[in-house]
Amino acid sequence: MKRIEPANLYRNNDKAIGVGNAFWDLSEHNGLAGIVAELDNGVLRTESGHEFVNFTCCSYLDLDSHPQVIEGAVAALRRFGVLDHCIPRGRVQIPALLELEASLGELFGADVVSAISAGVASAGLLPLIASGHLGNGVRPLMVFDKYAHLSLAAAKPTCADESEVVTCGHHDLDFLEDQCKQYERVCYVVDGSDSLGGYAPVEELAVLQEKYGLLVFYDDSHSISAYGERGIGYIRSHCPVLDERTITVATLNKAFGSSGAAIMLDGYPKETLRIIERFAGALSYSQPVNTAAVGASLASAEIHRTEELTTLQQRMRANIELFDSLVKTDQTGTSYPIRIVPMSDETVIDAGRRVYERGFYVSPVFFPIVPRGTAGLRVMLRAGQTAEQIHALGEVLIEVGALPQAVGE
Ligand SMILES: *Cc1c(COP(=O)(O)O)cnc(C)c1O
């Protein structure tokens, strides 16, 4: 019988599952994964009655449970009278998506195309960029940042079938410039804000964009809503080049508090937007954002237009600062809502279990999911956590081995 030898040039399931599954099994075995709990007023309760506050939830502004957002979902479902009128939107569509895209377009100051998730948006767009159909017609060398989110890296094999793909060091501008000198066109794929508090070097990248026509594909999922005036995110706040050389996707599932994703474009003609609707993978053949999610997003967008958004952002920042005043981490002082409380690979699971028993969920990350020596408990701060909860969590973390923040430091 013929036996298949995989190429594994851009993905490797043997390795991913071999490395990752033991981590998940150990987490689940220790009660720190596979948890089922009902949400009641900000507190989760398991069937056996254990109550805890979730400190690993990405809804940084708690908009996902905001009464207006929930009402918005229900009202839209009633108004449109259908959850998903299932037919490709290019043929027939109810006005729901157009209304959503007009609202998000006004909010973010861009031409917005919607998708059911950022992962689906990127999986659809990146191959179109690789083939030159979203851009100036030239197939660009696709340069993926080493730390680009999994949803971006997953597009490497499909991009490689349309163009050439390379992976570069994190924010390696010298490498990028070198490629720009050699290739007709280059596209750099990178997170706008990465999960440990760093932001993409938008100014330096803009220099390459101006000099060489570099195309940059940003995934700003982590800073949308949480960052910037009206929550426009880091890229729309700071990127100096907002034209066809910059493409941004952002999830609406995290701080935005609803469901779906926004693709933000500038300067592309209508025909290109049609190409996206018709050929960007699942955008063309799978379900669009359903009307409940459209209604939730419209309501969230309205909140983004009011002072309430600023208040929620301030509350989130105050909670981050309060946590930083209690527990020392490498991220202390950054504006990003995630902290990794360092622990050893040997103690982190036990520490996570003790914290959970005391009423807080924080997720342990350890080797082999992260390199040896960088294990820790991942803590995410949100606007809706109370000062009492954060103080109590800080105390428990210190009991299980976290370093207290030195007073006056
Ligand atoms: C969470 C996250 C995603 C996934 O977003 P979905 O809309 O759920 O697909 C994609 N990219 C980044 C950078 C993320 O942080």
Side-chain angles (χ1 to χ4, degrees):
M1 294 300 275
K2 289 187 185 174
R3 194 189 178 116
I4 290 169
E5 282 304 321
N8 289 140
L9 293 175
Y10 303 103
R11 61 172 297 137
N12 187 334
N13 280 347
D14 281 346
K15 199 170 152 194
I17 295 168
V19 165
N21 213 29
F23 163 90
W24 280 107
D25 282 345
L26 194 57
S27 296
E28 191 164 328
H29 183 73
N30 281 276
L32 294 171
I35 298 167
V36 179
E38 300 243 19
L39 186 60
D40 178 16
N41 227 342
V43 176
L44 286 150
R45 191 175 306 110
T46 65
E47 208 182 345
S48 66
H50 180 61
E51 290 190 358
F52 63 97
V53 180
N54 193 351
F55 270 86
T56 314
C57 167
C58 297
S59 185
Y60 304 120
L61 303 179
D62 291 276
L63 284 170
D64 59 341
S65 55
H66 192 293
Q68 270 167 254
V69 172
I70 290 175
E71 277 314 307
V74 174
L77 202 44
R78 294 227 163 88
R79 181 154 65 92
F80 292 109
V82 61
L83 184 66
D84 174 19
H85 189 59
C86 194
I87 174 172
R89 67 180 299 190
R91 295 187 189 279
V92 178
Q93 65 179 324
I94 57 170
L97 295 180
L98 299 174
E99 208 178 298
L100 171 68
E101 288 160 352
S103 173
L104 295 178
E106 188 282 326
L107 183 65
F108 298 132
D111 295 321
V112 167
V113 179
S114 61
I116 56 160
S117 73
V120 159
S122 297
L125 288 177
L126 287 166
L128 278 184
I129 294 174
S131 64
H133 290 90
L134 186 46
N136 63 358
V138 176
R139 289 172 195 275
L141 173 72
M142 299 295 290
V143 182
F144 285 76
D145 192 273
K146 179 177 153 188
Y147 293 150
H149 190 264
L150 205 57
S151 61
L152 304 173
K156 285 178 189 178
T158 37
C159 288
D161 222 21
E162 296 284 357
S163 182
E164 286 176 34
V165 169
V166 289
T167 304
C168 76
H170 188 44
H171 297 170
D172 191 342
L173 296 160
D174 291 337
F175 178 85
L176 272 176
E177 177 150 25
D178 210 38
Q179 302 309 310
C180 286
K181 285 178 182 162
Q182 295 179 47
Y183 283 81
E184 251 185 302
R185 192 130 215 245
V186 174
C187 173
Y188 178 44
V189 183
V190 66
D191 291 14
S193 51
D194 47 62
S195 59
L196 287 178
Y199 293 102
V202 289
E203 299 279 347
E204 293 84 345
L205 287 169
V207 173
L208 300 181
Q209 290 182 288
E210 293 293 357
K211 199 164 167 190
Y212 303 100
L214 172 72
L215 186 63
V216 185
F217 186 95
Y218 289 111
D219 182 339
D220 211 15
S221 290
H222 251 124
S223 81
I224 211 81
S225 306
Y227 189 99
E229 210 174 308
R230 306 209 304 175
I232 65 170
Y234 185 80
I235 297 304
R236 303 289 309 175
S237 301
H238 298 294
C239 180
V241 177
L242 289 180
D243 59 24
E244 66 281 2
R245 293 167 295 183
T246 299
I247 295 171
T248 307
V249 299
T251 185
L252 304 177
N253 296 318
K254 289 186 171 133
F256 196 84
S258 61
S259 182
I263 300 164
M264 295 170 240
L265 301 159
D266 301 270
Y268 279 100
K270 247 201 177 67
E271 297 76 59
T272 308
L273 305 183
R274 287 279 178 277
I275 294 281
I276 294 175
E277 281 177 27
R278 293 170 184 169
F279 296 99
L283 263 68
S284 71
Y285 59 69
S286 195
Q287 62 188 311
V289 180
N290 68 49
T291 48
V294 167
S297 294
L298 289 170
S300 177
E302 278 313 310
I303 296 170
H304 280 66
R305 295 183 172 95
T306 66
E307 270 305 300
E308 187 176 354
L309 190 87
T310 319
T311 308
L312 290 170
Q313 286 179 333
Q314 281 164 352
R315 266 191 220 147
M316 178 193 75
R317 272 200 295 275
N319 281 348
I320 295 170
E321 279 164 28
L322 174 58
F323 183 83
D324 279 353
S325 74
L326 303 169
V327 179
K328 204 180 173 98
T329 64
D330 286 348
Q331 294 80 39
T332 298
T334 62
S335 58
Y336 197 75
I338 302 184
R339 300 289 180 262
I340 306 283
V341 180
M343 298 274 159
S344 72
D345 283 312
E346 293 68 36
T347 58
V348 67
I349 276 268
D350 191 52
R353 198 171 49 193
R354 285 165 67 195
V355 173
Y356 181 60
E357 278 162 11
R358 296 278 293 275
F360 305 99
Y361 182 77
V362 294
S363 53
V365 291
F366 52 91
F367 182 82
I369 283 287
V370 295
R372 279 191 199 283
T374 62
L377 296 173
R378 196 166 46 177
V379 176
M380 301 191 192
L381 284 311
R382 287 183 280 118
Q385 291 149 345
T386 66
E388 291 73 29
Q389 290 167 347
I390 295 168
H391 272 288
L393 173 67
E395 259 171 50
V396 182
L397 285 172
I398 288 163
E399 269 175 47
V400 302
L403 288 178
Q405 190 65 265
V407 179
E409 214 179 274

